[in-house]
Amino acid sequence: MTHRNTHQTQGEELHFDVLIVGAGPSGLAAAIHLAQADPSRSIALLDKGRHPGAHILSGAIMDPKGMNLLLPGWQQEVPWPVIPVTEERFVFLTPEKTCPLPHFNLFGHGGCCLVSLGKLCRWLSQRAEALGVHVFFGFCAQEPIWDTQGILRGVVTGDRGRNRDCQPMTHFQPGVRLLAPITLIAEGARGHLASILIQRLRLDQGQTPQHYALGLKEVWEIPAATSRPGTIGHAVGWPLGRGCHGGGFAYHSETGRIDLGLVVDLDYPDPRTDPFALLQCLKTHPWLRSLLARGRPLEAGARVLVKGGVQSLPNPAFPGGFLIGDAAGFLDGTRMKGIHQAILSGVAAATTILELGKTPPQDLAWGRRYRQSLHSLVLPDLIRGRNVQPGMAMGLWPGMLHGFIDQSLFRGHAPWTLRRHRPDRAPGRHTTSPAPSLSCHGPMVIDRDRTLFLAGVRYRENQPPHVRIQRPATPQPSSNQTEVQTVDHPEHHYCPAGVFSSSSGPTSRIPLRSHRCLHCQTCSIKDPDTAIFWQPPEGGDGPHYQTL
């Protein structure tokens, strides 16, 4: 395609006015809003996926207000039907029974629609390119570029294919340097660059530890006769338990298709909990079994989502740019909605750039103005729902009762704010109890290898591993060693892709199979010793999602 904007090239450097890392809903929204308002501004959008939406995964029930603000009339322009939510069911599951529960419309699904986030991002990327945005897919942002004053000036793209003999996790021969006075970090939850910036600049100082959940999703083709487009279902209870919180979902997104999955909070105490196995058991429950009996799986994947809320938000502004979308943690944990929040944060960042584009990017006015935009567009929902997710630490029923009181009686304005002080990787409490039984069978159960096939996972053969584990051969006595001493390699349980193969004991070497990685980021969050290090592989490698 022909870009209306031009960029300056100097050797292995590309210079732009604005650089955006991550082509998810927040990054695309920022690029589109900027390009619409100022066509003369050169904008670069960088994404590690091979194609638009390749690394995107969401439920996905979308509140349309973000898209309505960004592109009014979008529902008439997209090349697929927009399915509104017409019926909602909320149930409690026992191993064999389904018990309906009232939901009192607390989840706020009225007016929402069912979308494929992969399709939406593909369409938005086409809109961005048509507006002159330089979109680069298959290029990962490997390292930040700092100037002498500690201001972010751009990123270095990873290019591992040039040096096949280098050792794992060493500094590979760098790729192209993308430079810009303003950089927006839109990598999604637990992004590689966002983690570096938050740690180096201490952007999370004074906040509670960020809280995450692992979302596992499958798309199934089912007979049209059993399909009910617009019907959504949420479930709590079995197979979760033993201090493990979260829930299942089943969305009839279009005729002949059902999107189902399980969200597992990563603060569970038992290190033997296997989220992947829990999803497979959920599909054998009568709630889903009859729907899937004559169906077949089409796609599968996994990705973490951020649920810490406003208590865990890092400072979203830093010298040289902003954090937007789930890179900052703007998901609304009460409604479990993140797409519109991501889009609105991208619009807020773009609005700030347009208003203050001639001032130095490290000027304090940038951060102040960005936070003002967030307070008007994004933060009100997070503030109203600040107590719902922390309240679930009380247990399922006390947490649900507290959430009802907080949202119905106080309408999100309770005179208290609950806080979590334990990180998700904190040692478990039930390591001496019998291991949970997760032996589930049936035609709807698939294994990890089939999941990787359905996710389209592909890596170049013989490329250096992008995952490293540095657990001491002999565990040292400390507060973080409880799981290691009682469970052989907890990463074998929490990794949904089987990257860490099983081993005979806690002191043996753990074979890594990084060619299976789904980029879900669970290992970098849940490992009790912070001994696992993850960085992007060669650009374009990993899952190749189509409609997740």
Side-chain angles (χ1 to χ4, degrees), residues 216-499:
L216 303 111
K217 180 180 177 181
E218 295 179 8
V219 176
W220 281 65
E221 180 184 53
I222 60 175
T226 61
S227 181
R228 301 185 299 276
T231 299
I232 63 174
H234 292 96
V236 294
W238 190 88
L240 302 181
R242 305 166 62 89
C244 184
H245 305 297
F249 63 89
Y251 305 152
H252 292 257
S253 54
E254 57 187 63
T255 302
R257 167 177 165 143
I258 185 170
D259 296 34
L260 59 93
L262 183 67
V263 176
V264 180
D265 288 5
L266 289 180
D267 60 352
Y268 56 78
D270 192 334
R272 296 161 301 184
T273 300
D274 187 333
F276 178 85
L278 290 172
L279 172 60
Q280 302 310 312
C281 285
L282 176 65
K283 293 188 296 180
T284 66
H285 193 276
W287 183 58
L288 290 176
R289 188 168 59 207
S290 60
L291 284 172
L292 304 180
R294 293 191 294 158
R296 66 183 182 96
L298 301 178
E299 285 192 78
R303 186 71 168 90
V304 298
L305 54 151
V306 58
K307 298 176 68 176
V310 70
Q311 297 95 315
S312 301
L313 287 183
N315 184 348
F318 55 85
F322 303 135
L323 300 174
I324 61 177
D326 269 3
F330 292 136
L331 180 137
D332 181 356
T334 302
R335 303 172 65 202
M336 291 300 291
K337 302 278 185 300
I339 301 175
H340 74 285
Q341 293 283 84
I343 293 172
L344 292 174
S345 69
V347 171
T351 300
T352 303
I353 294 170
L354 292 168
E355 292 180 355
L356 300 175
K358 294 184 180 180
T359 63
Q362 67 271 26
D363 193 285
L364 292 178
W366 279 76
R368 184 167 57 249
R369 182 66 188 90
Y370 181 42
R371 284 186 286 270
Q372 290 173 351
S373 295
L374 292 174
H375 272 286
S376 63
L377 292 174
V378 176
L379 295 184
D381 288 344
L382 269 68
I383 295 172
R384 282 194 296 269
R386 68 191 183 280
N387 287 324
V388 174
Q389 288 297 328
M392 294 307 297
M394 305 176 189
L396 176 61
W397 297 111
M400 290 176 62
L401 177 60
H402 171 268
F404 174 77
I405 293 172
D406 183 82
Q407 295 298 299
S408 294
L409 301 184
F410 289 98
R411 299 188 180 277
H413 300 289
W416 62 80
T417 297
L418 301 180
R419 297 180 182 274
R420 296 173 180 259
H421 296 286
R422 289 168 56 89
D424 290 339
R425 62 169 45 92
R429 300 187 298 273
H430 303 304
T431 56
T432 60
S433 59
S437 176
L438 292 173
S439 179
C440 299
H441 305 281
M444 64 287 300
V445 174
I446 61 178
D447 60 19
R448 283 177 166 84
D449 289 340
R450 182 79 182 279
T451 293
L452 298 184
F453 172 78
L454 295 173
V457 173
R458 295 193 298 275
Y459 288 88
R460 181 181 64 82
E461 188 176 0
N462 298 325
Q463 72 169 276
H466 62 280
V467 183
R468 179 181 60 174
I469 183 166
Q470 289 185 328
R471 181 163 292 128
T474 303
Q476 301 297 319
S478 72
S479 60
N480 280 342
Q481 293 296 333
T482 303
E483 295 184 8
V484 176
Q485 294 173 354
T486 57
V487 176
D488 291 351
H489 308 305
E491 61 277 353
H492 179 55
H493 302 275
Y494 58 65
C495 176
V499 170

Side-chain angles (χ1 to χ4, degrees), residues 46 140-145 154-158 173-178 193:
L46 186 72
C140 63
Q142 196 71 37
E143 298 178 6
I145 298 174
V155 301
V156 178
T157 64
Q173 184 173 343
V176 178
R177 293 162 55 90
L178 302 182
L193 281 185

